[in-house]
Amino acid sequence: MEATISVRGLRKRFGPVLALDGMTFTVQPGRVTGFVGPNGAGKSTTMRVILGLNAADEGQALVGGQAYASLRYPLRWVGSLLDAGALQPSRSARNHLLWLAHSQGLGARRVDEVLTAAGLSAVARRHAGGFSLGMRQRLGIAAALLGDPPVLMMDEPFNGMDPEGIVWMRGFLRSLAGQGRGVLVSSHLMSELQDTADHLVVAGRGRVIADASVRDLIAAASGDRVTLRTSAEPTAAMVLERAGATVAAPGPGVLTVTGLTAERVVGALGAAAVPFSEVAAHRVSLEEAYMELTRDAVEFRAAAASGSAAS
Amino acid sequence: MTAGTAIVAAQESERPGRGGFGSLLHAEWTKFRTVRGWLIGLLVAVLVTAGLLLSGGDSCGGPGNSGCTLPLGPGGEAVNDSFYFVRQPLAGNGSITVQVTSLTGETPSGSVSGRVRARSGPGTGQSMRSGLEPWSKAGIIVAASTAPGAAYAAMMVTGTHGVRMQYDYTGDTAGLPGAVSALSPRWLRLTRSGDMITGYDSANGSVWVKVGTARLGGLPSTVQAGLFAASPAYSQVVSQSLGGSSATGGPTLATGTFDQVGLAGRWTGGRWTGADIGGPDAMYPQDPGTFRQAAGTVSVTGSGDIAPDVPGSGGGGGISISQGLVGTFVGLIALVVVASMYMTAEYRRGLIRVTLAASPRRGQVLLAKAAVIAAAGFVTGLVAAPLSLAVGERSAHAGGAFIDPVAALTLARLVLGTAALFAAVAVFALGAGALMRRGAAAVTVTILLVVAPFIIGTVLSAGGTQWPLRVLPAAGFAVQGAYPRYPQVTASYSTVSGYYPLPPWAGFAVLCGWAAVVLGLATWVLRRRDA
């Protein structure tokens, strides 16, 4: 059985709000898939539909090729952490995990294993109600690991974590993917996923805006612009335009070239013996690429908000 | 950090066709037992159930009177066996026939309408006036002995219930209707043949109609037979509350006038002797009964009753075993809080999403929860009921009160019924919690439908409206009904004394119906609702 989550054409309406509008993507094993998008993009709703908590109006979400509700022991297929605060405060951390383990036909030994893995052994018998947010996140992760699932799904796991915790979480997510598991992590801040995610699903207004590897995404956002420094601006411009590029001069001694890769720019200038001091391929940051992609969705939300405020 | 085991492990241990609901039950049980507050809540339910006690409302003796007791009839029930008996021992088979020409009586002033006669009541000093109780009675009787609680069969005329044949305290069969008078006399006959006593009545002394036959097991060859008169204490419930009922009343007298007393078969006439049976006691310090013989006419005056003792009837006698269980409604309040919270705590902080992600079959989740809370409620009731009965018995004895005995099967039903009541109410509260998702709302609704009708039915409706205890979930309290109703005994038959408008299992069925409907609705809603 391929350990994946597959989401196909999910639509979901909450009264007047279209929360999901054809959401479609796949979580592949062995890598961290970042699920990003502004607040209200439909990330949490999608995750709830995957877990069978919310019913989609259209479309389907499958886990390992099956509907979540048909899984006998679902936590052995997907471990999830949606809300670290979903606890009975007066129940101890260990007992919280114990009832979950029993629901999956698992015993107390597995509970002690995941408590150790999450670094909670020392506080296992304390009431979960007294835990800090970071400790609750660790408890939620321990719960997600209970069934040793091939797929893990976490909604905003970095929320409320201190910088040290964020570093730990990144390493932890990487190690899970390294074991061959598929990991889906949502965030509304792209910076949290930088250096963590291999693959990104960017959501906005209930649908997928981009679904690509981190490298492809940056390349696409950067375009194939090349910045050129030269003292022979008119000659250089003429040579490059003849090679098929579009050239602009944003400042003295600087040309911006579109339509040619950096290698071909260097080749064309060399062949014509035009002097130049620097050729640089332009690269945007992941953050910039994300802002570019989601601008529409954010603007839409702002407009909708002011529109409803006016009415 | 690493998660030690290999990823394939999960699929390997998946066992199809097994474990689903069992695992769910296991999980829900773990969930329940790991919140200490809920376990404490159940303990509180046990303690308050046993802790709320009533002072013995009407007892046959004062505090410290540990010898207080009532005679038991042939069926094992507590009985009143107090009347005036004009008798002679008669051997073998035979029959006794009599004509009754009048039945008159005296009751305390203010009881029934009638001309006030400034006279002192029997042994009391209360002023009396003429009048009959509905169940004042006079007639002929064949008894195994004069000992209290002895087997008997009797034919009699009554205050307002016509001619009756009564036997062994609980048996009662109607004969000729209408009141007796000199113009409309009644003939009564009892015939003994072995253990069988047959009663006949007649309006003219020539046409006889069989009223009934009673088999008195082990009737000795020589019986005590003759004329009797009795009149049960007048009582009127003044107020009724959880603290018991308070009644006003007092002893009454009945006088029957007999003509043409005849003995037949192997019974031959001897000398008649009169005696009060069963007296004197707290109510009758002096023997009130008399008989006069003149010119073939015998008039017999007596007080008391030959009938089962009904607890709470206000005229002395035993108290109800149910009084020990009166704390049940307080214990149920504690249980309702626990059972509702067990469900609504899931919604308080979104735990329901963790639960449903772990167990997507929502109907089964609710069913497992219901099974766990029903078991917890049952055990709570199973501990609380015997404890409450024991504490109630101790308190009754300390107060000098006598508890009317119940059969072993009835006692077992009181205990198991109370346990089942706790279980069903817990399921109802759980269902209400799932429907309303808020603890305060679920607790309020459950208490309004389950507990409040019981309190209202007990405090406010002294013999009045009892429909809430028929149709609302509170009908389940009927499992605590302890004694049968006797049409031949006038009493208030209150809930405090263990009398409910429905039979035990009918009342329990009403409660279970409600619980099933609420749980079914909750399942339907839970399945449809986004979590």
Side-chain angles (χ1 to χ4, degrees), chain A residues 12 14 48 52-55 68-74 76-77 85-91 95 98-100 102-104 117 145 147-148 150 168 172 175 179 181, chain B residues 1-3 5-7 10-11 13-20 23 26-27 30-31 33-35 345 349-351 353-358 360-362 530-531:
Chain A
K12 172 81 179 173
F14 293 113
R48 286 185 187 180
L53 297 174
N54 286 15
Y68 189 89
S70 71
L71 300 175
R72 181 169 299 281
Y73 291 126
R76 299 185 183 190
W77 294 82
L87 295 162
Q88 173 80 23
S90 55
R91 197 179 277 128
N95 284 332
L98 195 59
W99 76 255
L100 263 177
H102 287 160
S103 76
Q104 305 301 305
L145 290 176
D148 196 13
W168 174 82
F172 170 67
S175 78
Q179 292 159 8
R181 299 177 212 260
Chain B
M1 112 182 205
T2 56
T5 47
I7 296 165
Q11 279 80 9
S13 47
E14 187 103 353
R15 292 162 303 180
R18 242 208 89 214
S23 302
H26 193 185
T30 305
K31 225 187 236 181
R33 70 173 171 82
T34 52
V35 175
R349 288 176 179 81
L351 189 59
R353 293 194 197 99
V354 180
T355 298
L356 295 183
R361 289 170 180 80
R362 299 185 179 184
D530 279 340

Coordinates of all heavy atoms in Angstrom, one line a residue, chain A residues 12 14 48 52-55 68-74 76-77 85-91 95 98-100 102-104 117 145 147-148 150 168 172 175 179 181, chain B residues 1-3 5-7 10-11 13-20 23 26-27 30-31 33-35 345 349-351 353-358 360-362 530-531:
Chain A
K12 N -16.3 22.6 -0.3 CA -17.0 22.6 1.0 C -17.4 24.0 1.3 O -16.7 25.0 1.2 CB -16.0 22.2 2.2 CG -16.6 22.3 3.5 CD -17.5 21.2 3.9 CE -18.1 21.4 5.3 NZ -19.1 20.4 5.6
F14 N -19.4 26.6 3.9 CA -20.0 26.9 5.3 C -20.9 28.1 5.1 O -20.4 29.2 5.1 CB -18.9 27.2 6.3 CG -18.0 26.1 6.6 CD1 -16.6 26.1 6.2 CD2 -18.5 25.0 7.3 CE1 -15.8 25.0 6.6 CE2 -17.6 23.9 7.6 CZ -16.3 23.9 7.3
R48 N -9.3 18.5 8.2 CA -10.4 17.9 8.8 C -11.2 17.0 7.9 O -11.7 15.9 8.3 CB -11.3 19.0 9.4 CG -10.8 19.7 10.6 CD -11.8 20.6 11.1 NE -11.1 21.4 12.2 CZ -11.8 22.4 12.9 NH1 -13.0 22.7 12.6 NH2 -11.2 23.0 13.8
G52 N -11.9 12.8 8.1 CA -13.3 12.4 8.3 C -14.1 13.2 9.3 O -15.2 12.9 9.7
L53 N -13.5 14.3 9.8 CA -14.2 15.1 10.8 C -15.2 16.0 10.2 O -16.3 16.2 10.7 CB -13.2 15.9 11.6 CG -12.1 15.1 12.4 CD1 -11.1 16.0 13.0 CD2 -12.8 14.3 13.5
N54 N -14.9 16.6 9.0 CA -15.8 17.4 8.2 C -16.1 16.6 7.0 O -15.3 15.9 6.4 CB -15.2 18.7 7.9 CG -15.2 19.7 9.1 OD1 -15.3 19.2 10.2 ND2 -15.0 20.9 8.8
A55 N -17.4 16.7 6.5 CA -17.8 16.0 5.3 C -17.7 17.1 4.2 O -18.2 18.2 4.3 CB -19.2 15.5 5.4
Y68 N -10.8 7.6 5.0 CA -10.4 7.5 6.4 C -11.4 6.8 7.3 O -11.0 5.9 8.2 CB -10.2 8.9 7.0 CG -9.5 9.0 8.3 CD1 -8.2 9.0 8.4 CD2 -10.3 9.0 9.5 CE1 -7.5 9.1 9.7 CE2 -9.7 9.1 10.7 CZ -8.3 9.1 10.8 OH -7.7 9.2 12.0
A69 N -12.7 7.0 7.1 CA -13.7 6.5 8.0 C -13.8 4.9 7.9 O -14.4 4.3 8.7 CB -15.1 7.1 7.7
S70 N -13.2 4.4 6.8 CA -13.3 2.9 6.6 C -12.1 2.2 7.3 O -12.0 1.0 7.3 CB -13.4 2.5 5.2 OG -12.1 2.8 4.5
L71 N -11.1 3.0 7.8 CA -10.0 2.4 8.4 C -10.3 1.8 9.8 O -11.0 2.5 10.6 CB -8.8 3.4 8.6 CG -8.4 4.0 7.2 CD1 -7.3 5.1 7.5 CD2 -7.7 2.9 6.4
R72 N -9.9 0.6 10.1 CA -10.3 0.0 11.4 C -9.5 0.7 12.5 O -10.1 1.1 13.6 CB -10.0 -1.5 11.4 CG -10.3 -2.1 12.7 CD -10.3 -3.6 12.6 NE -11.2 -4.1 11.6 CZ -12.6 -4.2 11.8 NH1 -13.0 -3.9 13.0 NH2 -13.4 -4.7 10.9
Y73 N -8.2 0.8 12.4 CA -7.4 1.5 13.4 C -6.7 2.7 12.7 O -5.5 2.6 12.3 CB -6.3 0.6 14.0 CG -6.9 -0.5 14.8 CD1 -6.7 -1.8 14.6 CD2 -7.8 -0.2 15.9 CE1 -7.2 -2.8 15.4 CE2 -8.3 -1.1 16.7 CZ -8.0 -2.5 16.5 OH -8.6 -3.4 17.3
P74 N -7.4 3.8 12.4 CA -6.8 4.9 11.6 C -5.5 5.5 12.0 O -4.7 5.9 11.2 CB -8.0 5.9 11.5 CG -8.9 5.6 12.7 CD -8.7 4.1 12.9
R76 N -3.0 4.0 13.0 CA -1.9 3.3 12.4 C -1.6 3.6 11.0 O -0.7 3.2 10.4 CB -2.2 1.8 12.5 CG -2.4 1.3 14.0 CD -2.6 -0.2 14.0 NE -2.9 -0.7 15.3 CZ -2.9 -2.0 15.6 NH1 -2.7 -2.9 14.6 NH2 -3.2 -2.4 16.8
W77 N -2.5 4.5 10.4 CA -2.3 4.9 9.0 C -1.9 6.4 9.0 O -1.0 6.7 8.2 CB -3.6 4.7 8.2 CG -4.0 3.3 8.0 CD1 -4.7 2.5 8.9 CD2 -3.7 2.5 6.9 NE1 -4.8 1.3 8.4 CE2 -4.3 1.2 7.2 CE3 -3.1 2.7 5.7 CZ2 -4.2 0.2 6.2 CZ3 -3.0 1.7 4.8 CH2 -3.6 0.4 5.1
G85 N -4.3 21.8 22.1 CA -5.1 22.1 23.3 C -6.3 21.1 23.5 O -7.0 21.2 24.5
A86 N -6.5 20.2 22.5 CA -7.6 19.3 22.7 C -7.3 18.2 23.7 O -7.0 17.1 23.3 CB -7.9 18.7 21.3
L87 N -7.5 18.5 24.9 CA -7.1 17.6 26.1 C -8.1 17.8 27.2 O -8.8 18.8 27.3 CB -5.8 18.0 26.6 CG -4.5 17.9 25.8 CD1 -3.4 18.7 26.4 CD2 -4.1 16.5 25.7
Q88 N -8.3 16.7 27.9 CA -9.0 16.8 29.2 C -7.9 17.3 30.2 O -7.0 16.5 30.5 CB -9.6 15.5 29.6 CG -10.2 15.4 31.0 CD -11.6 16.0 30.9 OE1 -12.2 16.1 29.9 NE2 -12.1 16.5 32.1
P89 N -8.1 18.5 30.8 CA -7.0 19.1 31.6 C -6.7 18.2 32.8 O -5.5 18.2 33.3 CB -7.5 20.4 32.0 CG -8.6 20.8 31.1 CD -9.2 19.5 30.6
S90 N -7.7 17.5 33.3 CA -7.4 16.8 34.6 C -6.9 15.4 34.4 O -6.7 14.6 35.3 CB -8.7 16.7 35.4 OG -9.8 16.2 34.6
R91 N -6.7 15.0 33.1 CA -6.2 13.7 32.8 C -4.7 13.8 32.6 O -4.2 14.8 32.0 CB -6.8 13.1 31.6 CG -6.7 11.6 31.4 CD -7.4 11.2 30.1 NE -8.9 11.0 30.3 CZ -9.8 11.5 29.6 NH1 -9.5 12.3 28.6 NH2 -11.1 11.3 29.8
N95 N -2.1 9.0 30.7 CA -3.5 8.5 30.5 C -4.1 9.0 29.2 O -5.0 8.3 28.6 CB -4.3 8.8 31.7 CG -4.0 7.9 32.9 OD1 -3.5 6.8 32.7 ND2 -4.2 8.4 34.1
L98 N -2.9 6.8 26.8 CA -3.3 5.4 27.1 C -4.6 5.1 26.4 O -4.9 4.1 25.8 CB -3.3 5.1 28.6 CG -3.4 3.7 29.0 CD1 -2.2 2.9 28.5 CD2 -3.5 3.6 30.5
W99 N -5.6 6.0 26.6 CA -6.9 5.7 26.0 C -6.8 5.7 24.5 O -7.5 4.9 23.8 CB -8.0 6.6 26.6 CG -8.1 8.1 26.1 CD1 -7.7 9.2 26.7 CD2 -8.6 8.5 24.8 NE1 -7.9 10.3 26.0 CE2 -8.5 9.9 24.8 CE3 -9.1 7.9 23.7 CZ2 -8.9 10.7 23.7 CZ3 -9.5 8.7 22.6 CH2 -9.4 10.1 22.6
L100 N -6.0 6.6 24.0 CA -5.8 6.7 22.5 C -5.2 5.3 22.0 O -5.6 4.8 21.0 CB -4.9 7.8 22.1 CG -5.5 9.1 21.7 CD1 -4.5 10.2 21.4 CD2 -6.4 8.9 20.4
H102 N -5.4 2.4 23.5 CA -6.4 1.4 23.6 C -7.4 1.4 22.5 O -7.9 0.4 22.0 CB -7.2 1.5 25.0 CG -6.3 1.1 26.1 ND1 -6.6 1.5 27.4 CD2 -5.2 0.3 26.2 CE1 -5.7 0.9 28.2 NE2 -4.8 0.3 27.5
S103 N -7.7 2.6 22.0 CA -8.7 2.7 20.9 C -8.1 2.1 19.6 O -8.8 1.8 18.7 CB -9.0 4.2 20.7 OG -8.0 4.9 20.0
Q104 N -6.7 2.0 19.5 CA -6.1 1.4 18.4 C -5.6 0.0 18.6 O -4.8 -0.5 17.9 CB -4.9 2.3 17.9 CG -5.3 3.8 17.7 CD -6.3 3.9 16.7 OE1 -6.2 3.5 15.6 NE2 -7.5 4.6 17.1
A117 N 10.1 9.2 23.2 CA 10.4 9.8 21.9 C 10.1 11.3 21.9 O 10.8 12.1 21.3 CB 9.6 9.1 20.8
L145 N 2.3 9.8 16.9 CA 3.3 8.7 16.7 C 2.8 7.4 17.2 O 3.4 6.3 16.9 CB 4.6 9.1 17.3 CG 5.4 10.2 16.7 CD1 6.7 10.5 17.5 CD2 5.8 9.8 15.3
G147 N 0.5 5.2 16.7 CA 0.3 4.0 15.8 C 1.4 3.8 14.8 O 1.2 3.0 13.9
D148 N 2.5 4.4 15.0 CA 3.7 4.3 14.1 C 3.2 4.4 12.6 O 3.5 3.5 11.8 CB 4.3 2.9 14.3 CG 5.7 2.9 13.7 OD1 6.3 4.0 13.4 OD2 6.3 1.8 13.6
P150 N 2.6 5.5 8.7 CA 3.4 5.9 7.5 C 3.1 7.4 7.1 O 3.9 7.9 6.3 CB 3.0 4.9 6.4 CG 1.6 4.5 6.8 CD 1.5 4.6 8.3
W168 N 14.0 22.3 16.9 CA 13.8 20.9 17.2 C 12.7 20.3 16.3 O 12.9 19.2 15.7 CB 13.4 20.8 18.7 CG 13.0 19.4 19.0 CD1 13.8 18.3 19.4 CD2 11.6 18.8 19.0 NE1 13.1 17.2 19.6 CE2 11.8 17.5 19.4 CE3 10.4 19.4 18.8 CZ2 10.6 16.6 19.5 CZ3 9.3 18.5 18.9 CH2 9.4 17.2 19.3
F172 N 13.0 17.3 13.6 CA 12.1 16.1 13.9 C 11.3 15.8 12.6 O 11.2 14.6 12.2 CB 11.2 16.5 15.0 CG 10.1 15.5 15.2 CD1 10.3 14.2 15.7 CD2 8.7 15.9 15.0 CE1 9.3 13.3 15.9 CE2 7.7 15.0 15.2 CZ 8.0 13.7 15.6
S175 N 13.5 14.1 10.1 CA 13.9 12.8 10.4 C 12.7 11.8 10.1 O 12.9 10.7 9.7 CB 14.3 12.6 11.9 OG 13.1 12.7 12.7
Q179 N 12.8 8.6 7.5 CA 12.4 7.2 7.7 C 11.4 6.7 6.6 O 10.9 5.6 6.7 CB 11.7 7.1 9.1 CG 12.6 7.4 10.2 CD 11.9 7.8 11.5 OE1 10.7 7.7 11.5 NE2 12.6 8.2 12.5
R181 N 8.5 8.3 5.8 CA 7.1 8.6 6.0 C 6.7 9.8 5.2 O 7.6 10.7 4.9 CB 6.9 9.0 7.5 CG 7.2 7.8 8.4 CD 7.0 8.3 9.9 NE 7.9 7.6 10.8 CZ 7.5 6.5 11.5 NH1 6.3 6.1 11.5 NH2 8.4 5.9 12.3
Chain B
M1 N 15.4 13.3 17.1 CA 14.7 12.2 17.7 C 14.2 11.2 16.6 O 14.0 11.6 15.5 CB 13.5 12.7 18.5 CG 12.2 12.4 17.9 SD 10.9 13.1 18.8 CE 9.7 11.9 18.4
T2 N 14.1 10.0 17.0 CA 13.7 9.0 16.0 C 12.5 8.2 16.6 O 12.4 8.0 17.8 CB 14.8 8.0 15.6 OG1 15.2 7.4 16.8 CG2 16.0 8.7 15.0
A3 N 11.6 7.8 15.7 CA 10.6 6.9 16.1 C 11.0 5.5 15.8 O 11.1 5.1 14.6 CB 9.3 7.2 15.4
T5 N 10.5 2.1 15.7 CA 10.1 0.9 15.0 C 9.9 1.2 13.5 O 9.8 2.3 13.1 CB 8.8 0.4 15.6 OG1 7.9 1.5 15.7 CG2 9.0 -0.3 16.9
A6 N 9.9 0.1 12.8 CA 9.7 0.3 11.3 C 8.3 0.6 10.9 O 7.4 0.4 11.7 CB 10.1 -1.0 10.6
I7 N 8.2 1.3 9.8 CA 6.9 1.8 9.4 C 5.9 0.7 9.0 O 4.7 0.9 9.2 CB 7.1 2.7 8.2 CG1 7.9 3.9 8.6 CG2 5.8 3.2 7.6 CD1 8.5 4.7 7.5
A10 N 2.7 -1.1 11.5 CA 1.3 -0.8 11.7 C 0.4 -1.7 10.9 O -0.6 -2.2 11.4 CB 1.1 0.7 11.2
Q11 N 0.7 -1.9 9.6 CA -0.2 -2.7 8.8 C -0.2 -4.1 9.2 O -1.2 -4.8 9.1 CB 0.2 -2.6 7.3 CG -0.3 -1.3 6.6 CD 0.5 -0.1 7.0 OE1 1.6 -0.2 7.6 NE2 0.1 1.1 6.6
S13 N 0.0 -5.5 12.1 CA -0.8 -5.9 13.3 C -2.3 -5.5 13.1 O -3.1 -5.7 14.0 CB -0.3 -5.2 14.6 OG -0.1 -3.8 14.3
E14 N -2.6 -5.1 11.9 CA -4.1 -4.8 11.7 C -4.8 -6.1 11.6 O -4.5 -7.0 10.8 CB -4.2 -4.0 10.3 CG -5.6 -3.6 10.0 CD -5.7 -2.1 10.3 OE1 -4.8 -1.5 10.8 OE2 -6.8 -1.6 9.9
R15 N -5.8 -6.3 12.5 CA -6.5 -7.6 12.5 C -7.9 -7.3 11.9 O -8.8 -6.8 12.7 CB -6.6 -8.1 13.9 CG -5.2 -8.6 14.4 CD -5.3 -8.7 15.9 NE -5.7 -7.5 16.6 CZ -5.8 -7.3 17.9 NH1 -5.7 -8.3 18.6 NH2 -6.2 -6.2 18.4
P16 N -8.2 -7.7 10.7 CA -9.5 -7.4 10.2 C -10.6 -8.2 10.9 O -10.3 -9.3 11.3 CB -9.4 -7.8 8.7 CG -8.2 -8.7 8.6 CD -7.3 -8.4 9.8
G17 N -11.8 -7.6 11.0 CA -12.9 -8.3 11.6 C -12.9 -8.5 13.1 O -13.8 -9.1 13.7
R18 N -11.9 -7.9 13.7 CA -11.8 -8.1 15.2 C -11.4 -6.8 15.8 O -10.8 -5.9 15.2 CB -10.7 -9.2 15.5 CG -11.3 -10.4 16.2 CD -10.2 -11.0 17.1 NE -10.2 -10.4 18.4 CZ -9.1 -10.3 19.2 NH1 -7.9 -10.6 18.7 NH2 -9.2 -9.8 20.4
G19 N -11.8 -6.6 17.1 CA -11.1 -5.6 17.9 C -11.8 -4.2 17.8 O -11.6 -3.4 18.7
G20 N -12.6 -4.0 16.8 CA -13.1 -2.6 16.6 C -13.8 -2.1 17.8 O -13.4 -1.2 18.5
S23 N -12.0 -2.6 21.3 CA -11.0 -1.5 21.5 C -11.6 -0.2 21.9 O -11.1 0.5 22.8 CB -10.1 -1.3 20.2 OG -9.5 -2.5 19.8
H26 N -12.7 -0.4 25.5 CA -11.5 -0.3 26.3 C -11.0 1.1 26.4 O -10.7 1.6 27.5 CB -10.4 -1.2 25.7 CG -9.2 -1.4 26.6 ND1 -8.1 -2.1 26.2 CD2 -9.0 -1.1 27.9 CE1 -7.2 -2.2 27.2 NE2 -7.8 -1.6 28.3
A27 N -11.0 1.8 25.3 CA -10.6 3.2 25.3 C -11.5 4.1 26.1 O -11.0 4.9 26.9 CB -10.5 3.7 23.8
T30 N -11.0 3.5 29.8 CA -9.8 4.2 30.2 C -10.0 5.7 30.4 O -9.6 6.3 31.4 CB -8.7 3.9 29.2 OG1 -8.5 2.5 29.0 CG2 -7.3 4.5 29.7
K31 N -10.7 6.2 29.4 CA -11.0 7.6 29.4 C -11.8 8.0 30.7 O -11.6 9.0 31.4 CB -11.9 8.0 28.2 CG -11.5 9.2 27.5 CD -12.6 9.5 26.4 CE -12.0 9.5 25.1 NZ -13.0 9.8 24.0
R33 N -12.1 6.2 33.6 CA -11.5 6.0 34.9 C -10.3 6.9 35.2 O -9.9 6.9 36.3 CB -11.1 4.5 35.1 CG -9.9 4.1 34.2 CD -9.5 2.7 34.5 NE -8.5 2.3 33.5 CZ -7.2 2.6 33.6 NH1 -6.8 3.3 34.6 NH2 -6.3 2.2 32.7
T34 N -9.8 7.6 34.2 CA -8.6 8.4 34.4 C -8.9 9.8 34.8 O -8.0 10.6 34.8 CB -7.7 8.3 33.2 OG1 -8.5 8.7 32.0 CG2 -7.1 7.0 33.0
V35 N -10.2 10.2 34.9 CA -10.5 11.5 35.5 C -11.0 11.3 36.9 O -12.1 10.8 37.1 CB -11.6 12.2 34.6 CG1 -12.0 13.5 35.2 CG2 -11.0 12.4 33.2
A345 N -17.4 17.1 28.2 CA -16.0 17.4 28.3 C -15.3 17.2 27.0 O -14.3 17.9 26.7 CB -15.3 16.5 29.4
R349 N -13.0 21.3 24.9 CA -11.8 21.8 24.3 C -11.4 21.1 23.0 O -10.3 20.9 22.6 CB -10.6 21.5 25.3 CG -10.7 22.5 26.5 CD -9.6 22.1 27.5 NE -9.7 23.1 28.6 CZ -10.6 23.0 29.6 NH1 -11.4 22.0 29.6 NH2 -10.6 23.9 30.6
G350 N -12.5 20.6 22.3 CA -12.2 20.0 21.0 C -11.7 18.6 21.1 O -11.3 18.0 20.1
L351 N -11.8 17.9 22.3 CA -11.3 16.6 22.4 C -12.1 15.6 21.5 O -11.6 14.6 21.1 CB -11.4 16.1 23.8 CG -10.7 14.8 24.2 CD1 -9.3 14.8 23.9 CD2 -11.0 14.5 25.7
R353 N -12.7 15.8 18.5 CA -12.0 15.6 17.2 C -10.9 14.6 17.3 O -10.7 13.8 16.4 CB -11.4 16.9 16.7 CG -12.5 17.9 16.3 CD -12.0 19.1 15.5 NE -13.0 20.1 15.5 CZ -12.9 21.2 16.3 NH1 -11.9 21.3 17.1 NH2 -13.9 22.0 16.4
V354 N -10.2 14.5 18.5 CA -9.2 13.5 18.7 C -9.9 12.1 18.8 O -9.5 11.1 18.2 CB -8.4 13.8 20.0 CG1 -7.4 12.7 20.2 CG2 -7.8 15.2 19.9
T355 N -11.1 12.1 19.5 CA -11.8 10.9 19.7 C -12.3 10.4 18.4 O -12.2 9.2 18.1 CB -13.0 11.2 20.6 OG1 -12.5 11.6 21.9 CG2 -13.9 9.9 20.8
L356 N -12.9 11.3 17.5 CA -13.5 10.8 16.3 C -12.4 10.5 15.2 O -12.6 9.7 14.3 CB -14.5 11.8 15.7 CG -15.7 12.0 16.6 CD1 -16.7 13.0 16.0 CD2 -16.4 10.7 16.9
A357 N -11.2 11.2 15.3 CA -10.1 10.8 14.4 C -9.6 9.4 14.8 O -9.2 8.7 13.9 CB -9.0 11.8 14.5
A358 N -9.6 9.1 16.1 CA -9.1 7.8 16.5 C -10.2 6.7 16.2 O -9.9 5.5 15.9 CB -8.8 7.7 18.0
P360 N -13.5 6.6 13.8 CA -14.4 7.3 12.9 C -15.8 6.8 12.9 O -16.7 7.5 12.4 CB -13.7 7.1 11.5 CG -12.4 6.6 11.8 CD -12.4 5.9 13.1
R361 N -16.1 5.6 13.5 CA -17.4 5.1 13.5 C -18.1 5.8 14.7 O -18.1 5.4 15.8 CB -17.4 3.6 13.6 CG -16.9 2.9 12.4 CD -16.7 1.4 12.6 NE -16.2 0.7 11.5 CZ -15.0 0.7 11.0 NH1 -14.1 1.4 11.7 NH2 -14.6 0.1 10.0
R362 N -18.9 6.9 14.3 CA -19.4 7.7 15.4 C -20.5 7.1 16.2 O -20.6 7.3 17.4 CB -19.9 9.0 14.8 CG -18.8 9.8 14.1 CD -19.2 11.1 13.6 NE -18.2 11.8 12.9 CZ -18.2 13.1 12.4 NH1 -19.4 13.7 12.5 NH2 -17.2 13.6 11.9
D530 N -20.6 18.2 11.4 CA -19.2 18.3 11.3 C -18.6 18.4 12.7 O -19.1 19.1 13.6 CB -18.8 19.6 10.5 CG -18.9 19.4 9.0 OD1 -18.9 18.2 8.6 OD2 -19.0 20.3 8.3
A531 N -17.5 17.6 12.9 CA -17.0 17.6 14.3 C -16.0 18.8 14.5 O -15.5 19.3 13.5 CB -16.2 16.3 14.5

